[in-house]
Amino acid sequence: MTSWVAIAYGALDLRGWHENQTDVELMLLATVPSEPIGLAGVPAVLWRKLMDGPVPDAGLDKAGQALVREFAAAGIASDDPSHPARIFELRAPWMSSPVHEMVYALVASVARDHGVDAISIKGPMLHRQGLREREHSGDVDVWADPAHLEVLCTALESWGWNGRTDQWSGLSFNHSVALEPGSWGCEVDVHRHIPGCADDDSAVFAKVMENSQATLFAGVPMLTPDLPAHAVIFALHDLRPEARHGKTAVEAGEHAEKLRLGGQQVLQFANSVKASAVLEPALRLAFPAAHLRVDHEVPLNWKWRESKGWWRAYWMIFRSLPAGERLLFIRRAVWPQAEVLAASDGRAGRSTSSLIGARFRRIAKLFRR
């Protein structure tokens, strides 16, 4: 006998939600590429019934049977009770922007279905954990298993996110890939690593996984770092130098209090991912009585960002790369992709009619640096 359950890549209960000015009761994200849909009245009642299911087909009248098949065709119901996208909990939005919460749920669902481990970092959890006053960012930050980062980025393309034209795509020193949102209006930044950690990218990711717990985003569980791990991640993000772009360095004292919130486990986690060398000034201010032993050097992924000269930065990046990536790095540095040059000229307000002219300007700029 056929029975039905509720499925979705994200589900929110908008009944009684203080920001809801419509008659929409449920916001759902189907399991097929689409944007969130709203249900109200009889359809909303049926979907909630399916969530408490399974509901046998014979238990529905003819109108209900027809409606549940429409749900199945739309990707919000299934006759498989073990469907990976089955929704068991329906809650009101806990973020001020339901669309952002849906994006987290979407990324978590897509990652799960493609076998990619992913962790939500920064954003709303920083606020929840008392590390930041601002509630959430304009974009969604995800740390993906470095070995499968491209799988996740490619999978999100069908949902409307496209990789921004990037001179360094495919190179492991590039710490994140920015995915442009199209109609969603919310960029997704998929991180390969966090600069400042001296350990291997995969080893660091594994440590973060160990120090994370599941948090529900629109009914979908996604890993988020615990307070000590997140305090370290946030400090590394905020203290990261960008000397070539004239970024003003954040003082270590600004993060000492935030690191202190995570307690002594902050020291343990920073050591486990080899971030103590970078964070040493802030850690000593946060834990003046602790014995801080640093057994590693500041990594090249941090040092090249401190360099004020591009050539020196390029040399340090080159040294940090695996042998198999070095030729590609040289090629991209001297002879970037045509779309990168076009995008660069577009940002500068120049015409891109001459690719040769754009390449000449690029090479001249390198030598001026």
Side-chain angles (χ1 to χ4, degrees), residues 105-128:
L106 168 61
V107 174
S109 299
V110 170
R112 176 198 64 219
D113 288 356
H114 286 80
V116 180
D117 289 324
I119 306 167
S120 162
I121 58 172
K122 301 186 291 183
M125 287 307 296
L126 290 176
H127 178 76
R128 258 193 171 187

Side-chain angles (χ1 to χ4, degrees), residues 9-316:
Y9 270 6
L12 289 171
D13 190 346
L14 301 186
R15 295 173 300 172
W17 180 54
H18 66 284
E19 294 287 342
N20 187 12
Q21 304 297 322
T22 70
D23 61 355
V24 174
E25 299 174 33
L26 304 179
M27 179 188 286
L28 305 178
L29 184 60
T31 58
V32 294
S34 58
E35 294 182 14
I37 58 177
L39 294 183
V42 173
V45 171
L46 176 58
W47 197 88
R48 287 195 294 270
K49 186 176 180 180
L50 298 182
M51 192 184 69
D52 295 330
V55 175
D57 204 49
L60 298 171
D61 58 22
K62 288 186 178 180
Q65 290 175 355
L67 185 55
V68 79
R69 281 162 175 76
E70 289 183 30
F71 284 177
I76 57 173
S78 172
D79 59 3
D80 177 9
S82 61
H83 196 288
R86 186 174 174 184
I87 295 292
F88 293 93
E89 288 191 61
L90 191 60
R91 300 180 181 179
W94 65 268
M95 294 176 60
S96 61
S97 169
V99 172
H100 276 72
E101 190 169 343
M102 276 290 181
V103 174
Y104 281 104
L106 168 61
V107 174
S109 299
V110 170
R112 176 198 64 219
D113 288 356
H114 286 80
V116 180
D117 289 324
I119 306 167
S120 162
I121 58 172
K122 301 186 291 183
M125 287 307 296
L126 290 176
H127 178 76
R128 258 193 171 187
Q129 293 169 328
L131 294 169
R132 187 177 73 180
E133 288 187 16
R134 183 159 48 95
E135 184 181 350
H136 66 83
S137 309
D139 54 9
V140 164
D141 288 280
V142 178
W143 194 341
D145 179 352
H148 300 103
L149 178 140
E150 300 299 336
V151 173
L152 179 57
C153 291
T154 300
L156 287 170
E157 287 182 5
S158 63
W159 289 84
W161 277 270
N162 294 298
R164 179 185 292 169
T165 302
D166 192 337
Q167 182 177 358
W168 309 115
S169 59
L171 290 161
S172 58
F173 86 93
N174 199 24
H175 80 280
S176 68
V177 178
L179 303 180
E180 294 184 331
S183 60
W184 281 84
C186 175
E187 184 177 283
V188 175
D189 287 332
V190 185
H191 294 254
R192 185 190 308 276
H193 66 261
I194 299 294
C197 298
D199 209 349
D200 173 79
D201 288 354
S202 295
V204 172
F205 183 77
K207 287 293 183 183
V208 180
M209 289 271 292
E210 289 174 12
N211 291 272
S212 295
Q213 66 276 306
T215 299
L216 280 183
F217 292 91
V220 179
M222 188 176 197
L223 287 177
T224 56
D226 61 22
L227 177 55
H230 222 175
V232 170
I233 291 168
F234 186 36
L236 289 172
H237 166 75
D238 229 24
L239 295 169
R240 187 173 72 218
E242 294 290 351
R244 300 166 334 284
H245 300 298
K247 176 186 172 183
T248 304
V250 176
E251 295 295 329
E254 294 184 34
H255 266 278
E257 184 176 348
K258 296 169 186 176
L259 289 168
R260 199 177 297 119
L261 286 175
Q264 294 287 323
Q265 287 178 285
V266 161
L267 296 171
Q268 299 167 18
F269 180 78
N271 282 329
S272 73
V273 296
K274 297 185 179 179
S276 300
V278 163
L279 295 179
E280 183 175 2
L283 290 172
R284 291 197 183 280
L285 288 171
F287 306 101
H291 174 64
L292 180 60
R293 178 174 166 269
V294 180
D295 60 0
H296 57 276
E297 296 182 357
V298 173
L300 284 174
N301 65 32
W302 193 270
K303 285 183 176 178
W304 72 258
R305 289 177 164 84
E306 293 180 315
S307 175
K308 293 183 179 179
W310 277 98
W311 281 112
R312 180 173 174 78
Y314 280 1
W315 171 240
M316 284 190 281

